[in-house]
Amino acid sequence: MPAQRTNADEIRTLFSRAMSEMYRAEVPQYGALVELVDDTNHETLRRDEQLRASLERSDELERLNVERHGAIRLGRADELFNMRRVFAVMGMQAVGYYDLSVAGVPVHATAFRPIDDAALRRNPFRVFTSLLRLDLIGDETLRLEAERILGERRIFTPRALELVGIFETEGRLTAAQADEFVREALETFRWHSEATVSLEVYSRLHDAHRLIADVVSFKGPHINHLTPRTLDIDAVQVAMPRRGIAPKAIIEGPPRRDCPILLRQTSFKALEEPILFTDAAGARAPGTHTARFGEIEQRGVALTPKGRALYDRLLSTVRQAGATARAYDTELAEHFRGFPDDWAELRAQGLAFFRYSATPAGINACKGHTLPSNLDELVAAGFLRYDPIVYEDFLPVSAAGIFQSNLGNDQQQNYAARSNRAAFETVLGVEVHDEMKLYAQAESDSLEQALVQLGSPHLARRAMA
Ligand code: OOG
Ligand code: NI
């Protein structure tokens, strides 16, 4: 039903724009980061004509400046359930399960994002959404208190939920309802400079884990960062201090390469912001809270399970080596020599996902002739081309690195690694999509279509088998 889909895509665009405006107004340093990213993108495009032409061809130039993702942290089961319904209105579905308890962060998470190609092309905005795992708080008194405090808040406006209900029955919203929905939904993501707890309770939550204080002490799950796309993440990382922005020590993810893979990201350190705390008697006390930051990202090709296993293995050897931040980049580049940096090789070894298309030469050649009956030969003859499928998800080790850099290094904690995907999905109300299946499907759909265009439906069937 195209009408429905168009509607959701438009609402997502309206929403991400509104969120961006709100966040720039709330966090001026984020505005400064966005300016730096814009300047760097311009400079990169000025120097790299080929890149400019390719972005222009794929219609990406004008969308270069739209944010790619944001993140929130929820506290209660029904908050996650309803968040799924809210994001569904914007055409965003839960993809992937991320267990961050292994990295000392007491949350598990998913990414709400568009899943089909057309929607991703229109606006790829996604939200990394984590749920606090109160079951990982050892101190029972504190756990019960956190539960009680969270139990009293309502993070959605009644009207936002009403509009979600209308969308669920009608399959779409009118333009006026969409505007109203965006306004109402935005309220959930707003910053509150007044805590719902006393300074004393805040401190106890904070001592258990800074993230617990962040989730429990406020009226709602303030957006904690937004992330634009950069064309040159290394240049922005280096330039941040010159603009008075303090970057985290390292860029997360793979090293810089000719054939970019997965996702590279870095951020500036979260800001310490003034907060008013109120005790049970109504007495107020000033304090601070540190949660909000700005991030940038650069995406590459999605890896197959085989490619991902290689990535995870190489990365973990670098991490185990425990290099200092200064030596880290060199170590990383060194270890990743073991990862082919050539498109043909990545395809031949089945390390990455590609989108196939029939070339004009191929379409011409197949009129009246039989083409090679083998995929590699079709590629070699220039009848079939392949382009990298962009990785649209997150990386747990990187996410933990982003979390960690904002928690201060004194807060390294260890939780028993108890991944609990089933519990997460029960609370969510649906199963999360398997991202690998989505990429594999996109690849095989493109191949099938291309082979049909080349008049080789039998080959298409064989390739699909
Ligand atoms: C989310 C951190 C994860 C990313 O880009 O990996 C994330 C958070 O700090 O709440 O956004
Ligand atoms: Ni992020």
Side-chain angles (χ1 to χ4, degrees), residues 69 225 227 265 295 394 402:
H69 82 258
H225 67 281
T227 308
Q265 47 196 149
E295 186 192 9
F394 292 87
I402 298 279

Side-chain angles (χ1 to χ4, degrees), residues 33 36 236-247 266-268 296:
L33 177 66
L36 171 58
V236 177
Q237 173 85 350
V238 170
M240 271 198 247
R242 288 205 288 274
R243 302 232 183 160
I245 306 172
T266 184
S267 64
F268 65 73
I296 51 174

Side-chain angles (χ1 to χ4, degrees), residues 64-342:
L64 198 54
N65 292 336
V66 306
E67 269 85 356
R68 299 300 151 133
H69 82 258
I72 53 168
R73 304 155 183 168
L74 303 172
R76 241 169 48 200
D78 63 311
E79 293 177 354
L80 180 62
F81 181 85
N82 282 324
M83 198 52 89
R84 169 178 60 78
R85 300 172 61 218
V86 165
F87 282 134
V89 178
M90 307 181 215
M92 296 153 81
Q93 299 182 38
V95 180
Y97 172 76
Y98 302 89
D99 170 26
L100 295 166
S101 68
V102 289
V105 184
V107 306
H108 46 181
T110 189
F112 287 99
R113 69 162 175 91
I115 57 171
D116 65 77
D117 290 348
L120 282 164
R121 260 198 310 276
R122 291 191 62 152
N123 184 328
F125 186 66
R126 64 215 108 196
V127 179
F128 190 90
T129 303
S130 38
L131 177 65
L132 182 62
R133 290 182 65 181
L134 287 172
D135 58 307
L136 295 180
I137 303 184
D139 174 346
E140 196 188 334
T141 317
L142 191 66
R143 183 170 70 242
L144 293 175
E145 188 160 16
E147 254 163 25
R148 184 190 55 74
I149 296 164
L150 283 170
E152 282 171 11
R153 72 180 192 179
R154 297 288 171 267
I155 66 169
F156 301 102
T157 69
R159 184 59 183 154
L161 291 178
E162 229 168 76
L163 288 161
V164 169
I166 292 172
F167 175 85
E168 285 170 352
T169 35
E170 307 288 322
R172 55 183 296 129
L173 296 180
T174 66
Q177 285 168 339
D179 284 338
E180 197 187 1
F181 172 79
V182 167
R183 253 193 333 272
E184 294 285 331
L186 201 62
E187 286 308 306
T188 301
F189 299 84
R190 201 179 280 291
W191 179 251
H192 300 282
S193 54
E194 294 185 15
T196 55
V197 301
S198 68
L199 189 51
E200 182 269 327
V201 170
Y202 175 86
S203 306
R204 274 194 289 127
L205 294 166
H206 190 281
D207 287 347
H209 198 293
R210 180 135 100 202
L211 220 88
I212 298 175
D214 183 52
V215 175
V216 177
S217 310
F218 299 93
K219 239 168 74 181
H222 37 256
I223 181 88
N224 67 53
H225 67 281
L226 283 179
T227 308
R229 170 187 184 186
T230 169
L231 297 175
D232 189 343
I233 197 168
D234 303 277
V236 177
Q237 173 85 350
V238 170
M240 271 198 247
R242 288 205 288 274
R243 302 232 183 160
I245 306 172
K248 74 190 285 300
I250 58 154
I251 296 175
E252 300 288 343
R256 187 184 186 96
R257 297 161 42 93
D258 290 337
C259 304
I261 54 171
L262 298 173
L263 168 65
R264 302 181 72 205
Q265 47 196 149
T266 184
S267 64
F268 65 73
K269 296 214 187 105
L271 308 169
E272 188 175 345
E273 303 183 81
I275 298 291
L276 264 184
F277 295 90
T278 308
D279 69 18
R284 292 167 158 236
T288 62
H289 179 59
T290 306
R292 300 196 295 174
F293 59 99
E295 186 192 9
I296 51 174
E297 64 167 54
Q298 193 167 7
R299 290 182 182 267
V301 70
L303 299 183
T304 60
K306 182 181 170 196
R308 178 56 183 272
L310 179 57
Y311 169 81
D312 286 338
R313 187 153 51 75
L314 295 177
L315 187 69
S316 83
T317 52
V318 185
R319 297 248 160 188
Q320 269 154 24
T324 60
R326 194 188 292 275
Y328 181 80
D329 279 353
T330 323
E331 285 275 306
L332 189 69
E334 195 66 42
H335 280 81
F336 271 79
R337 292 232 179 102
F339 207 115
D341 195 8
D342 172 271

Side-chain angles (χ1 to χ4, degrees), residues 340-449:
D341 195 8
D342 172 271
W343 295 124
E345 204 50 42
L346 289 167
R347 193 185 78 84
Q349 294 190 27
L351 294 169
F353 287 112
F354 293 93
R355 184 169 283 112
Y356 291 87
S357 51
T359 63
I363 293 171
N364 242 332
C366 77
K367 291 178 189 135
H369 299 272
T370 4
L371 298 187
S373 63
N374 159 310
L375 214 133
D376 293 339
E377 284 169 28
L378 284 171
V379 169
F383 296 157
L384 202 54
R385 65 172 278 165
Y386 56 95
D387 293 290
I389 294 180
V390 176
Y391 186 61
E392 304 289 356
D393 294 287
F394 292 87
L395 296 168
V397 175
S398 298
I402 298 279
F403 266 112
Q404 218 47 263
S405 70
N406 288 304
L407 295 176
N409 294 329
D410 53 324
Q411 284 233 339
Q412 196 52 281
Q413 275 183 43
N414 288 309
Y415 294 99
R418 275 189 293 146
S419 173
N420 206 342
R421 179 188 188 132
F424 187 85
E425 290 179 330
T426 303
V427 163
L428 184 66
V430 297
E431 284 181 9
V432 300
H433 289 276
D434 175 344
E435 67 278 13
M436 288 294 180
K437 279 195 192 142
L438 295 175
Y439 297 121
Q441 191 68 47
E443 180 178 274
S444 67
D445 286 353
S446 72
L447 185 56
E448 187 173 41
Q449 228 180 11

